Amino acid sequence: MRKQVVLAKPFSLEDEKDSENTPPNLIQRILSLFKNVRPGSDLSNFQLPPQMNLPRSQLQCYGEIVYSLDGHDLLGECGRRDQPIERLKSVVTWYISTLRPLIFGMAPYNPVIGETHHVSNAHINVLVEQISHHPPVSALHATHEKENIDVMLCQYFTPKFRGAYVEVEVKGKRVVKLVNHKETYVMNQPKLLMTFLPAMGAHWAGKILIKCPETRLEAELQLVSDSFVSRFTGNNKRAIKGKIFESSSRKQLYEIFGHWDRTVTAKNTKTGELEVIYKASENIAKLKTPIVKNMQEVSESESGVVWGEVSEGIMTKDWEKAREAKRDVEEKQRESLRKREALGQSWIPKHFSVARTGKDWDCVPLQPTVPRAPIIVPL
């Protein structure tokens, strides 16, 4: 059978206008899915119909936050700055760029174990692998060839039904290493909230901490949730505020404020000087769909291959085709699991070594750098 790769366009800032017209029956459809779910229940294994799936795997969503930018190399900029404080500001800017708009009531596919996503954009090479299915755990390794930067994510999430909303707590590590400067930046992830009542919405919320032990500098950011009240005032929607400070003395060096889908400003607390450090319209708008450069090198485990028929069905609104293809993907995974259990074998990831302590996961790439990918973001 001929290998087919189907990749959806990354969700860009300008695409939000198309998603604002929520189908009138969507909220009823969502609530009907949750009618037998008790508040507090873990939704990690919750199955969605194709009509509520985005035509992309969760691995593609993770990969996009690193390789999908509108021509501005914010990751490389982190390594090009001379002063430690300027490098931390650049890391903060890069982190803000990883916050992307969400579509209410829609979710990507839950990746199958062993699934991969490998894409290059100029000097950035990204490789993502699903290292566990129950619970769903994903590992990402990205390297910047020119600036010698290493990005590592090991992420797993626990979505829970809270009655009037779904709360998704994203756990695991996110580390950026500026190898030339011998600096490591450790950071956490915000929560994802999907509210049903009193108003529908999907947004990021919570506190973000970014620490560099070598420079003893830290950043603390607060994402202000898109609350029911803010929908009427319009002031706090997607607001971000925070500070950059010295770890030991807690002395504040910069105040951070703005909106992550518009502009974010840094204010020097000593001089009062203002600097716009991020413009969403210049970084997460007009994003391009990755293309296949070398079909022969595309892995059978590539997300665009594994979910290709499902995505094609969703994109053409052929729901029967999407349902059947999704059943096939899930049945293949169950069959693979049955075979491993019969042989007494455990799944071993191809690209990462994995350690698990209780509920905590840690992943280390098996290779020091990510090779060029057969799928690229066009210039």
Side-chain angles (χ1 to χ4, degrees), residues 103-120:
I103 303 178
F104 173 79
M106 306 293 286
Y109 318 126
N110 191 6
V112 300
I113 194 167
E115 180 183 332
T116 59
H117 186 51
H118 188 196
V119 178
S120 293

Side-chain angles (χ1 to χ4, degrees), residues 341-355:
E341 288 179 338
L343 296 171
Q345 297 176 342
S346 299
W347 177 261
I348 300 176
K350 184 177 180 180
H351 303 286
F352 297 85
S353 65
V354 179

Side-chain angles (χ1 to χ4, degrees), residues 277-289:
I277 61 172
Y278 180 69
K279 292 182 179 180
S281 62
E282 295 181 357
N283 291 283
I284 59 172
K286 302 175 183 177
L287 301 179
K288 298 175 181 177
T289 307

Side-chain angles (χ1 to χ4, degrees), residues 4-12 15 53-61 63-64 67-68 100 103 106-109 117 119 286-292 302-305 307-316 375-378:
Q4 182 183 20
V5 182
V6 179
L7 293 170
K9 178 183 178 296
F11 193 65
S12 301
D15 296 327
N53 276 130
L54 297 167
R56 56 169 57 78
S57 168
Q58 182 64 56
L59 294 194
Q60 185 178 345
C61 295
E64 285 174 3
Y67 67 68
S68 192
R100 305 297 170 91
I103 303 178
M106 306 293 286
Y109 318 126
H117 186 51
V119 178
K286 302 175 183 177
L287 301 179
K288 298 175 181 177
T289 307
I291 60 173
V292 177
E302 165 61 44
S303 294
V305 176
W307 298 98
E309 284 195 43
V310 186
S311 296
E312 195 172 58
I314 292 174
M315 291 160 78
T316 59
I375 298 174
I376 64 169
V377 177

Side-chain angles (χ1 to χ4, degrees), residues 260-274:
W260 61 260
D261 64 334
R262 282 164 268 175
T263 62
V264 179
T265 299
K267 179 182 178 180
N268 187 313
T269 53
K270 183 178 181 180
T271 66
E273 181 182 356
L274 297 176

Side-chain angles (χ1 to χ4, degrees), residues 190-227:
K191 291 181 180 179
L192 187 159
L193 299 177
M194 183 175 291
T195 56
F196 309 131
L197 299 169
M200 297 182 294
H203 50 273
W204 299 107
K207 184 180 290 186
I208 299 165
L209 301 175
I210 302 174
K211 298 182 180 181
C212 180
E214 292 84 4
T215 63
R216 298 180 182 178
L217 294 173
E218 299 183 29
E220 181 180 295
L221 307 172
Q222 182 74 36
L223 297 177
V224 181
S225 64
D226 182 11
S227 67

Side-chain angles (χ1 to χ4, degrees), residues 15-75:
D15 296 327
E16 281 198 284
K17 293 180 180 178
D18 297 330
S19 68
E20 287 175 356
N21 299 319
T22 306
N25 63 337
L26 180 60
I27 187 66
Q28 289 87 352
R29 186 185 297 169
I30 292 172
L31 292 176
S32 68
L33 287 173
F34 290 119
K35 65 182 179 181
N36 295 320
V37 180
R38 298 181 57 144
S41 297
D42 188 333
L43 302 177
S44 298
N45 302 322
F46 198 70
Q47 296 293 324
L48 291 174
Q51 290 91 335
M52 298 178 70
N53 276 130
L54 297 167
R56 56 169 57 78
S57 168
Q58 182 64 56
L59 294 194
Q60 185 178 345
C61 295
Y62 286 145
E64 285 174 3
I65 68 174
V66 181
Y67 67 68
S68 192
L69 289 166
D70 183 25
H72 288 70
D73 183 12
L74 296 182
L75 181 61

Side-chain angles (χ1 to χ4, degrees), residues 163-353:
Y165 64 97
V166 170
E167 178 186 72
V168 182
E169 186 175 359
V170 185
K171 299 181 179 179
K173 71 175 183 179
R174 183 183 286 195
V175 178
V176 174
K177 293 183 179 180
L178 307 183
V179 180
N180 293 344
H181 298 285
K182 299 180 181 179
E183 293 173 358
T184 300
Y185 295 81
V186 182
M187 51 204 80
N188 65 335
Q189 286 84 221
K191 291 181 180 179
L192 187 159
L193 299 177
M194 183 175 291
T195 56
F196 309 131
L197 299 169
M200 297 182 294
H203 50 273
W204 299 107
K207 184 180 290 186
I208 299 165
L209 301 175
I210 302 174
K211 298 182 180 181
C212 180
E214 292 84 4
T215 63
R216 298 180 182 178
L217 294 173
E218 299 183 29
E220 181 180 295
L221 307 172
Q222 182 74 36
L223 297 177
V224 181
S225 64
D226 182 11
S227 67
F228 180 63
V229 174
S230 72
R231 285 180 173 270
F232 293 96
T233 64
N235 295 325
N236 291 329
K237 189 175 182 182
R238 294 177 177 168
I240 186 170
K241 59 181 180 180
K243 59 185 177 180
I244 293 175
F245 56 94
E246 296 175 349
S247 301
S248 55
S249 66
R250 309 294 290 183
K251 178 184 177 183
Q252 185 171 331
L253 305 175
Y254 282 90
E255 177 188 356
I256 307 292
F257 58 92
H259 299 82
W260 61 260
D261 64 334
R262 282 164 268 175
T263 62
V264 179
T265 299
K267 179 182 178 180
N268 187 313
T269 53
K270 183 178 181 180
T271 66
E273 181 182 356
L274 297 176
E275 176 189 359
V276 175
I277 61 172
Y278 180 69
K279 292 182 179 180
S281 62
E282 295 181 357
N283 291 283
I284 59 172
K286 302 175 183 177
L287 301 179
K288 298 175 181 177
T289 307
I291 60 173
V292 177
K293 184 179 181 181
N294 189 330
M295 180 62 79
Q296 291 183 334
E297 293 183 6
V298 175
S299 170
E300 293 290 341
S301 62
E302 165 61 44
S303 294
V305 176
V306 173
W307 298 98
E309 284 195 43
V310 186
S311 296
E312 195 172 58
I314 292 174
M315 291 160 78
T316 59
K317 292 186 164 62
D318 186 342
W319 302 118
E320 186 57 36
K321 176 181 179 178
R323 275 191 294 271
E324 290 182 7
K326 192 174 183 183
R327 279 196 295 266
D328 288 345
V329 172
E330 292 165 348
E331 182 51 41
K332 284 180 184 177
Q333 176 166 246
R334 285 191 285 267
E335 179 61 26
S336 178
L337 175 61
R338 286 192 288 266
K339 288 181 179 178
R340 289 198 304 274
E341 288 179 338
L343 296 171
Q345 297 176 342
S346 299
W347 177 261
I348 300 176
K350 184 177 180 180
H351 303 286
F352 297 85
S353 65

